[in-house]
Amino acid sequence: MCENCLKKCSFVSVSLRGELICPKAYDLTPCSALLSCPLLEPDGRPKPSDFSAALIALKDGHAVARHGWNGKGMYLKMQTPDEHSKMGLPYIYISTVEGKFVPWVASQTDLFAEDWYMKGAA
């Protein structure tokens, strides 16, 4: 990554495959080094990645999903409680096939899967 990327990113981490993860990369800023983000293909389409990249996207307000899930339209989002919430800490929820929202806990399979992608990317 170039210094320009590091200045724009609030957090840079390394995936299980050793790739640098830039959470702002999916903003598709002009810096060409940002396009190597494991969350997106160079043309902006979602790119399968691991859960560490998915978690960064969740923390940044994006929805994520797995290609390996059987249910159509299912996705995860993170909820940060406000003063009107019954929950006191942030949590991840899933949108089910029926469009219902329920709290979600990752399975071992989900944590180690490498088919995570960001929903709604180009």
Side-chain angles (χ1 to χ4, degrees):
M1 302 197 109
C2 68
E3 284 187 37
N4 187 33
C5 295
L6 294 175
K7 289 177 188 171
K8 291 180 180 182
C9 293
S10 58
F11 179 75
V12 175
S13 68
V14 180
S15 76
L16 292 174
R17 293 187 301 255
E19 299 168 308
L20 286 175
I21 301 169
C22 175
K24 297 297 181 189
Y26 37 82
D27 291 340
L28 298 179
T29 61
C31 179
S32 62
L34 288 178
L35 297 177
S36 65
C37 175
L39 288 170
L40 292 179
E41 298 289 354
D43 64 1
R45 289 179 296 117
K47 178 180 178 182
S49 191
D50 60 26
F51 187 69
S52 64
L55 184 58
I56 289 170
L58 284 168
K59 288 180 176 182
D60 211 24
H62 297 281
V64 298
R66 284 194 54 209
H67 289 292
W69 285 342
N70 292 328
K72 186 176 171 104
M74 294 170 54
Y75 64 87
L76 303 179
K77 286 215 59 173
M78 188 177 97
Q79 177 68 44
T80 303
D82 60 21
E83 64 275 1
H84 304 291
S85 299
K86 293 188 188 291
M87 301 288 206
L89 296 170
Y91 62 94
I92 297 172
Y93 67 88
I94 188 168
S95 176
T96 66
V97 175
E98 297 84 20
K100 308 281 185 190
F101 301 130
V102 294
W104 180 81
V105 177
S107 68
Q108 292 291 310
T109 305
D110 290 324
L111 289 173
F112 290 104
E114 297 202 359
D115 63 349
W116 287 96
Y117 66 98
M118 190 170 61
K119 294 280 287 184

